[in-house]
Amino acid sequence: MADQTSTAPLPPNAEKRYEVHRADLPLSCPTPSMSLWNSHPRVYLPLETNGGSARCPYCSALYVLVD
């Protein structure tokens, strides 16, 4: 994920790979920090049960658990 200290919202689905932390769980795509959080239907991604990574079925963004 982008720098958590920034106050500017992220563009929706701007990246194709996001690094996330356990503190971010449960994880949904799009994330609440994205400026247009409803760019596609919200889907929860099972990072912990999926080997530490998951791909969004709507936008194909890859989320990787780093801790």
Side-chain angles (χ1 to χ4, degrees):
M1 263 191 178
D3 181 1
Q4 297 282 331
T5 60
S6 175
T7 57
L10 297 172
N13 316 109
E15 302 292 326
K16 288 297 174 187
R17 185 178 190 278
Y18 296 91
E19 291 185 349
V20 295
H21 301 274
R22 291 193 186 281
D24 300 319
L25 300 179
L27 179 71
S28 65
C29 183
T31 66
S33 65
M34 293 178 179
S35 60
L36 295 174
W37 59 267
N38 61 350
S39 62
H40 63 65
R42 179 173 287 168
V43 60
Y44 285 89
L45 304 172
L47 290 178
E48 290 182 303
T49 60
N50 212 22
S53 67
R55 189 169 298 277
C56 176
Y58 293 102
C59 67
S60 299
L62 177 64
Y63 292 86
V64 178
L65 190 61
V66 294
D67 64 0

